[in-house]
Amino acid sequence: MRRMSVVVVLSALAIGSPLTAFFSGNAVATPATTTVTHVRPVDASGHLLPGYKVTRRFGNANCLFGSEATGTAYRCFAGNFVIDPCWVTDDPAYVDCLSEGWSHSVARLHVTKGYDNSGYTRAGSRGKYPWDVEVVGGIRCGWLQGASGVVGKYRVDYGCGKTPKTVLIGGVDRSKPVWTIRKAHDTGNYHYKQDGRAKLAEAWYGKPSRKGSNS
């Protein structure tokens, strides 16, 4: 469900597309601060929240605490699918999962193979990096789980689906009201060159999950 590598995210789009203007910081006004949004598709008791809808279902899943996307949720496995992040519902035999922080389409998994709760914590944490971000101008970029590329000494952290020639690298600078991150563009065949910084209009984090029960 989540984007597992740069190659999966990126597709052909010519450099010089009008969409690249979103990364200049000049096309639209910069907000006074970066909006920070904490989300999960269920309430504290695990009930599906209004506005969210189950659109996909998977069975025979198992889940490991420690989402790569949010930290305090679950990373789950169903067949050949890795689905992350997921939150335990009011019925612990099921988890509800989101593909992006802004999405309201839920994948519901039947956890028949149990939970690994090693290191479980429900303590709220902003985490080192946001789950997903929106660049000033409206382009949304998702955290790349698993193996990714590097640009110089910086990991490729976010793929931007609508501008696949641009990636965000090296972690988010949260030292000022408007957060920023380094960006890089594809010079051909997925070879990237650092290209200044992007300003972030919004950053998404996941709220903690209830603990999964194997009983």
Side-chain angles (χ1 to χ4, degrees):
M1 179 179 294
R2 293 292 295 168
R3 294 140 296 209
M4 298 304 295
S5 70
V6 177
V7 174
V8 171
V9 175
L10 302 181
S11 59
L13 178 67
I15 294 175
S17 162
L19 289 173
T20 61
F22 285 124
F23 288 91
S24 69
N26 298 320
V28 295
T30 300
T33 61
T34 297
T35 298
V36 178
T37 303
H38 295 83
V39 300
R40 66 184 168 209
V42 297
D43 64 18
S45 297
H47 297 95
L48 191 68
L49 289 168
Y52 289 92
K53 182 178 180 180
V54 177
T55 58
R56 285 177 289 179
R57 296 178 183 271
F58 297 86
N60 299 317
N62 65 288
C63 296
L64 169 70
F65 180 76
S67 160
E68 285 194 17
T70 70
T72 54
Y74 282 85
R75 182 174 179 83
C76 298
F77 308 85
N80 294 323
F81 294 97
V82 179
I83 306 172
D84 180 345
C86 299
W87 291 263
V88 179
T89 71
D90 59 312
D91 179 349
Y94 295 89
V95 293
D96 284 348
C97 313
L98 295 176
S99 57
E100 293 91 17
W102 56 82
S103 175
H104 285 76
S105 296
V106 172
R108 178 163 290 175
L109 279 60
H110 191 187
V111 186
T112 58
K113 297 182 179 180
Y115 293 91
D116 181 344
N117 291 314
S118 301
Y120 175 82
T121 176
R122 200 171 179 179
S125 174
R126 177 168 284 184
K128 187 176 181 181
Y129 300 118
W131 169 13
D132 292 314
V133 296
E134 181 177 306
V135 173
V136 169
I139 296 301
R140 291 171 170 175
C141 306
W143 176 260
L144 295 171
Q145 297 185 34
S148 180
V150 294
V151 178
K153 63 180 180 180
Y154 301 114
R155 181 186 186 272
V156 178
D157 290 329
Y158 299 91
C160 305
K162 291 187 177 180
T163 55
K165 288 290 185 178
T166 299
V167 294
L168 306 180
I169 64 175
V172 174
D173 182 349
R174 304 186 298 199
S175 63
K176 296 180 180 179
V178 177
W179 298 357
T180 64
I181 187 170
R182 297 174 183 87
K183 58 189 176 73
H185 69 267
D186 183 5
T187 59
N189 297 318
Y190 302 112
H191 292 92
Y192 289 86
K193 180 179 180 180
Q194 189 173 337
D195 183 24
R197 303 187 74 92
K199 297 177 181 179
L200 300 183
E202 188 166 3
W204 284 267
Y205 291 86
K207 292 181 179 181
S209 173
R210 302 174 71 235
K211 189 175 184 178
S213 172
N214 291 311
S215 59

